[in-house]
Amino acid sequence: MRTIAVLNQKGGVGKTSTAVNLGAALARQDQRVLLLDLDPQAHLTYSLGIMAHELPRTVSAVLMRECPADAVTMEVGPLHVVPASVALAGTEVDLASAEGRESRLRDALSSVSGYDFAILDCPPNLGMLTLNAMVAAGELLVPVQPEFLALQSLGKLMETVKAIRKGWNPDLALTGILMTRYQRTKKLHREIRRKIRDYFGDALLETAIRDNISLAEAPSFGKDIFTYKPRSNGAADYRNLALELLRRGAP
């Protein structure tokens, strides 16, 4: 199972949209996909039409070792989802003093089978939940928007990755940097893409996610982009992303 953490400490870069729609695209390539929502805002959960506030147990129970992951896993079309809720904010606090706090998610996923991919949607910070994702994952997928501050945030993130490799997960690899809300006609966007390519080389994925209103609309209907607007640019771009990751294979 390839375990990919969709991660950027900066908010609003398209992490949840990428986790949901990459998962849906992979499922349409006959891959068995498990999505895990690790953000207390539960945006991934709500984006798939699951009412997080009504759930008796979520990923919080898994991290606190109250139940295995499959006990809270839900099916949404071809996807399997481990949902979150606002209770996850309290769980992060509880984890700070818990035994084996950094490896709770890795331990939980060690008993999960039957999937080709596990995709982890991380919160927009480098707290305990994100740490758990980086310890559990084999790969990082980093969405970035084409702005100059993206370069600074990428630099800080790579410093964190080095620390994680040294302390907890030496096999953690950067699968790719994904440009989101990209408009090729804008000079600034092309310039930022060139700078990231110059610094990170092949880590910058060939696929870029174009700015597309359908991607913003789909969560309000509780649907992924392929269910909502299968002929949109957003669907085409996430299909291309899935194919690129499959071609590249695990690092």
Side-chain angles (χ1 to χ4, degrees):
M1 182 173 71
R2 291 176 63 179
T3 303
I4 302 176
V6 182
L7 171 64
N8 191 326
Q9 73 271 29
K10 190 176 185 301
V13 298
K15 291 186 295 294
T16 298
S17 180
T18 293
V20 168
N21 294 308
L22 172 60
L26 288 168
R28 282 160 176 76
Q29 298 298 320
D30 297 323
Q31 303 296 302
R32 296 161 297 177
V33 180
L34 177 68
L35 300 180
L36 293 95
D37 192 346
L38 297 175
D39 190 342
Q41 298 176 94
H43 285 172
L44 182 146
T45 302
Y46 283 116
S47 293
L48 289 169
I50 302 170
M51 296 297 100
H53 56 280
E54 298 176 356
L55 299 175
R57 291 193 300 183
T58 65
V59 70
S60 297
V62 178
L63 292 172
M64 297 311 296
R65 295 178 173 168
E66 297 170 4
C67 65
D70 61 6
V72 299
T73 300
M74 306 178 70
E75 291 188 34
V76 182
L79 300 170
H80 286 196
V81 182
V82 177
S85 72
V86 69
L88 196 53
T91 301
E92 182 160 30
V93 175
D94 294 338
L95 281 175
S97 58
E99 180 183 356
R101 58 185 182 270
E102 304 92 354
S103 59
R104 290 294 183 96
L105 182 60
R106 180 176 64 188
D107 295 345
L109 290 178
S110 67
S111 62
V112 170
S113 62
Y115 299 101
D116 300 299
F117 285 86
I119 299 177
L120 319 178
D121 184 29
C122 300
N125 57 54
L126 295 176
M128 188 56 62
L129 296 171
T130 301
L131 175 59
N132 262 265
M134 297 176 82
V135 172
E139 308 174 41
L140 290 181
L141 176 62
V142 184
V144 296
Q145 288 190 6
E147 55 187 37
F148 279 109
L149 290 178
L151 299 171
Q152 184 180 25
S153 66
L154 279 173
K156 290 181 179 179
L157 180 57
M158 290 305 105
E159 292 176 6
T160 303
V161 170
K162 289 180 182 178
I164 297 296
R165 287 171 176 161
K166 184 177 180 179
W168 294 285
N169 186 1
D171 298 323
L172 183 62
L174 178 61
T175 276
I177 298 168
L178 174 69
M179 299 290 291
T180 60
R181 300 197 68 177
Y182 183 70
Q183 296 184 49
R184 188 174 58 84
T185 56
K186 289 190 174 182
K187 182 179 179 181
L188 174 62
H189 290 199
R190 298 196 305 272
E191 179 69 10
I192 294 298
R193 186 171 177 82
R194 183 187 65 79
K195 286 182 177 292
I196 294 176
R197 173 74 72 187
D198 288 346
Y199 192 82
F200 290 98
D202 289 342
L204 178 64
L205 296 167
E206 292 297 329
T207 302
I209 308 302
R210 288 168 286 181
D211 199 8
N212 180 238
I213 188 63
S214 295
L215 289 171
E217 293 172 345
S220 65
F221 293 92
K223 297 179 179 181
D224 63 74
I225 191 61
F226 300 94
T227 307
Y228 177 63
K229 287 285 181 68
R231 297 183 180 179
S232 65
N233 286 340
D237 292 343
Y238 276 108
R239 185 181 300 110
N240 288 337
L241 175 62
L243 292 173
E244 183 172 356
L245 292 183
L246 289 170
R247 285 196 306 270
R248 287 190 173 211

Short mmCIF file of all heavy atoms in Angstrom, two decimals, residues 125-156:
data_model
loop_
_atom_site.label_atom_id
_atom_site.label_comp_id
_atom_site.label_asym_id
_atom_site.label_seq_id
_atom_site.Cartn_x
_atom_site.Cartn_y
_atom_site.Cartn_z
N ASN A 125 -0.86 22.86 9.36
CA ASN A 125 0.14 23.21 10.37
C ASN A 125 1.09 22.03 10.52
O ASN A 125 0.90 20.99 9.88
CB ASN A 125 -0.54 23.54 11.72
CG ASN A 125 -1.40 22.40 12.24
OD1 ASN A 125 -0.95 21.27 12.37
ND2 ASN A 125 -2.67 22.70 12.53
N LEU A 126 2.09 22.18 11.36
CA LEU A 126 3.04 21.10 11.58
C LEU A 126 2.93 20.57 13.00
O LEU A 126 3.91 20.33 13.69
CB LEU A 126 4.47 21.59 11.29
CG LEU A 126 4.73 21.98 9.83
CD1 LEU A 126 6.13 22.56 9.67
CD2 LEU A 126 4.53 20.80 8.89
N GLY A 127 1.68 20.37 13.45
CA GLY A 127 1.41 19.88 14.79
C GLY A 127 1.46 18.36 14.88
O GLY A 127 1.98 17.66 14.00
N MET A 128 0.88 17.84 15.96
CA MET A 128 0.97 16.40 16.26
C MET A 128 0.26 15.55 15.20
O MET A 128 0.72 14.45 14.88
CB MET A 128 0.37 16.13 17.64
CG MET A 128 0.57 14.71 18.14
SD MET A 128 2.31 14.18 18.17
CE MET A 128 2.98 15.37 19.36
N LEU A 129 -0.85 16.03 14.66
CA LEU A 129 -1.56 15.25 13.64
C LEU A 129 -0.74 15.16 12.36
O LEU A 129 -0.64 14.09 11.74
CB LEU A 129 -2.92 15.87 13.35
CG LEU A 129 -3.90 15.86 14.53
CD1 LEU A 129 -5.13 16.70 14.22
CD2 LEU A 129 -4.31 14.43 14.89
N THR A 130 -0.13 16.25 11.98
CA THR A 130 0.73 16.24 10.79
C THR A 130 1.97 15.39 11.03
O THR A 130 2.41 14.66 10.14
CB THR A 130 1.14 17.67 10.41
OG1 THR A 130 -0.05 18.44 10.14
CG2 THR A 130 2.03 17.69 9.19
N LEU A 131 2.52 15.46 12.23
CA LEU A 131 3.66 14.62 12.57
C LEU A 131 3.30 13.15 12.43
O LEU A 131 4.06 12.36 11.87
CB LEU A 131 4.13 14.92 13.99
CG LEU A 131 5.24 14.03 14.55
CD1 LEU A 131 6.50 14.12 13.68
CD2 LEU A 131 5.56 14.41 15.99
N ASN A 132 2.12 12.76 12.92
CA ASN A 132 1.68 11.38 12.77
C ASN A 132 1.58 10.98 11.30
O ASN A 132 1.96 9.86 10.92
CB ASN A 132 0.32 11.19 13.45
CG ASN A 132 0.45 10.60 14.83
OD1 ASN A 132 0.35 9.39 15.03
ND2 ASN A 132 0.71 11.46 15.81
N ALA A 133 1.09 11.89 10.47
CA ALA A 133 0.97 11.59 9.04
C ALA A 133 2.34 11.39 8.41
O ALA A 133 2.55 10.47 7.61
CB ALA A 133 0.23 12.73 8.33
N MET A 134 3.31 12.22 8.78
CA MET A 134 4.65 12.12 8.19
C MET A 134 5.39 10.88 8.67
O MET A 134 6.20 10.30 7.95
CB MET A 134 5.44 13.38 8.50
CG MET A 134 4.85 14.64 7.89
SD MET A 134 5.72 16.15 8.34
CE MET A 134 7.08 16.12 7.18
N VAL A 135 5.11 10.45 9.87
CA VAL A 135 5.72 9.22 10.38
C VAL A 135 5.08 8.00 9.73
O VAL A 135 5.75 6.99 9.45
CB VAL A 135 5.60 9.15 11.92
CG1 VAL A 135 6.05 7.79 12.45
CG2 VAL A 135 6.44 10.26 12.56
N ALA A 136 3.78 8.07 9.44
CA ALA A 136 3.07 6.94 8.86
C ALA A 136 3.26 6.81 7.36
O ALA A 136 3.19 5.70 6.81
CB ALA A 136 1.57 7.05 9.16
N ALA A 137 3.50 7.92 6.69
CA ALA A 137 3.53 7.93 5.22
C ALA A 137 4.86 7.45 4.66
O ALA A 137 5.90 7.58 5.30
CB ALA A 137 3.22 9.33 4.71
N GLY A 138 4.78 6.94 3.44
CA GLY A 138 6.00 6.67 2.69
C GLY A 138 6.32 7.79 1.73
O GLY A 138 7.45 7.94 1.27
N GLU A 139 5.28 8.60 1.42
CA GLU A 139 5.43 9.63 0.40
C GLU A 139 4.74 10.91 0.83
O GLU A 139 3.73 10.87 1.54
CB GLU A 139 4.82 9.17 -0.94
CG GLU A 139 5.31 7.81 -1.41
CD GLU A 139 4.58 7.34 -2.65
OE1 GLU A 139 4.32 8.17 -3.54
OE2 GLU A 139 4.25 6.13 -2.71
N LEU A 140 5.27 12.03 0.35
CA LEU A 140 4.65 13.34 0.54
C LEU A 140 4.25 13.90 -0.82
O LEU A 140 5.03 13.88 -1.77
CB LEU A 140 5.61 14.32 1.19
CG LEU A 140 5.99 14.12 2.65
CD1 LEU A 140 6.94 15.23 3.08
CD2 LEU A 140 4.75 14.08 3.53
N LEU A 141 3.04 14.41 -0.90
CA LEU A 141 2.57 15.17 -2.05
C LEU A 141 2.25 16.57 -1.55
O LEU A 141 1.42 16.73 -0.66
CB LEU A 141 1.33 14.51 -2.67
CG LEU A 141 0.68 15.24 -3.84
CD1 LEU A 141 1.65 15.36 -5.01
CD2 LEU A 141 -0.59 14.52 -4.28
N VAL A 142 2.93 17.56 -2.12
CA VAL A 142 2.85 18.93 -1.59
C VAL A 142 2.18 19.85 -2.60
O VAL A 142 2.80 20.25 -3.59
CB VAL A 142 4.25 19.46 -1.24
CG1 VAL A 142 4.15 20.85 -0.60
CG2 VAL A 142 4.98 18.50 -0.31
N PRO A 143 0.91 20.21 -2.38
CA PRO A 143 0.26 21.19 -3.26
C PRO A 143 0.76 22.60 -2.92
O PRO A 143 0.90 22.95 -1.75
CB PRO A 143 -1.23 21.05 -2.93
CG PRO A 143 -1.35 19.83 -2.07
CD PRO A 143 -0.04 19.67 -1.40
N VAL A 144 1.02 23.40 -3.94
CA VAL A 144 1.42 24.79 -3.74
C VAL A 144 0.71 25.66 -4.77
O VAL A 144 0.49 25.25 -5.90
CB VAL A 144 2.94 24.99 -3.87
CG1 VAL A 144 3.69 24.24 -2.78
CG2 VAL A 144 3.44 24.55 -5.24
N GLN A 145 0.36 26.87 -4.35
CA GLN A 145 -0.19 27.83 -5.28
C GLN A 145 0.95 28.66 -5.87
O GLN A 145 2.00 28.83 -5.23
CB GLN A 145 -1.22 28.73 -4.60
CG GLN A 145 -2.51 28.01 -4.29
CD GLN A 145 -3.61 28.96 -3.84
OE1 GLN A 145 -3.47 30.16 -3.86
NE2 GLN A 145 -4.72 28.38 -3.43
N PRO A 146 0.78 29.18 -7.07
CA PRO A 146 1.85 29.92 -7.75
C PRO A 146 2.00 31.34 -7.20
O PRO A 146 1.55 32.32 -7.80
CB PRO A 146 1.41 29.93 -9.21
CG PRO A 146 -0.07 29.79 -9.16
CD PRO A 146 -0.38 28.97 -7.96
N GLU A 147 2.62 31.45 -6.03
CA GLU A 147 2.91 32.74 -5.43
C GLU A 147 4.29 32.67 -4.78
O GLU A 147 4.77 31.59 -4.42
CB GLU A 147 1.85 33.11 -4.39
CG GLU A 147 1.66 32.06 -3.32
CD GLU A 147 0.48 32.35 -2.40
OE1 GLU A 147 -0.53 32.86 -2.89
OE2 GLU A 147 0.59 32.05 -1.20
N PHE A 148 4.95 33.81 -4.61
CA PHE A 148 6.32 33.80 -4.13
C PHE A 148 6.45 33.23 -2.72
O PHE A 148 7.47 32.62 -2.39
CB PHE A 148 6.91 35.21 -4.20
CG PHE A 148 7.39 35.58 -5.58
CD1 PHE A 148 6.70 36.51 -6.34
CD2 PHE A 148 8.50 34.96 -6.14
CE1 PHE A 148 7.12 36.84 -7.61
CE2 PHE A 148 8.93 35.28 -7.41
CZ PHE A 148 8.24 36.23 -8.16
N LEU A 149 5.43 33.40 -1.88
CA LEU A 149 5.50 32.84 -0.54
C LEU A 149 5.55 31.32 -0.55
O LEU A 149 5.95 30.70 0.43
CB LEU A 149 4.31 33.32 0.29
CG LEU A 149 4.32 34.81 0.66
CD1 LEU A 149 3.06 35.16 1.44
CD2 LEU A 149 5.55 35.16 1.48
N ALA A 150 5.14 30.72 -1.65
CA ALA A 150 5.19 29.25 -1.76
C ALA A 150 6.62 28.76 -1.65
O ALA A 150 6.89 27.69 -1.09
CB ALA A 150 4.58 28.80 -3.09
N LEU A 151 7.56 29.52 -2.19
CA LEU A 151 8.97 29.11 -2.14
C LEU A 151 9.47 29.07 -0.71
O LEU A 151 10.19 28.14 -0.30
CB LEU A 151 9.81 30.08 -2.97
CG LEU A 151 9.45 30.15 -4.46
CD1 LEU A 151 10.21 31.29 -5.13
CD2 LEU A 151 9.76 28.83 -5.14
N GLN A 152 9.07 30.06 0.08
CA GLN A 152 9.48 30.10 1.48
C GLN A 152 8.88 28.94 2.26
O GLN A 152 9.57 28.28 3.05
CB GLN A 152 9.06 31.43 2.10
CG GLN A 152 9.53 31.60 3.55
CD GLN A 152 9.10 32.93 4.14
OE1 GLN A 152 8.10 33.50 3.70
NE2 GLN A 152 9.83 33.43 5.12
N SER A 153 7.59 28.67 2.05
CA SER A 153 6.94 27.59 2.78
C SER A 153 7.51 26.23 2.39
O SER A 153 7.63 25.34 3.23
CB SER A 153 5.43 27.61 2.55
OG SER A 153 5.10 27.34 1.21
N LEU A 154 7.89 26.07 1.13
CA LEU A 154 8.50 24.82 0.70
C LEU A 154 9.84 24.60 1.39
O LEU A 154 10.18 23.48 1.79
CB LEU A 154 8.69 24.82 -0.82
CG LEU A 154 7.47 24.46 -1.66
CD1 LEU A 154 7.77 24.68 -3.14
CD2 LEU A 154 7.05 23.02 -1.42
N GLY A 155 10.62 25.67 1.52
CA GLY A 155 11.91 25.56 2.20
C GLY A 155 11.75 25.12 3.64
O GLY A 155 12.47 24.23 4.12
N LYS A 156 10.79 25.70 4.36
CA LYS A 156 10.55 25.33 5.74
C LYS A 156 10.06 23.89 5.85
O LYS A 156 10.45 23.14 6.76
CB LYS A 156 9.53 26.28 6.37
CG LYS A 156 10.05 27.69 6.58
CD LYS A 156 9.00 28.57 7.24
CE LYS A 156 9.53 29.97 7.49
NZ LYS A 156 8.49 30.86 8.10
#
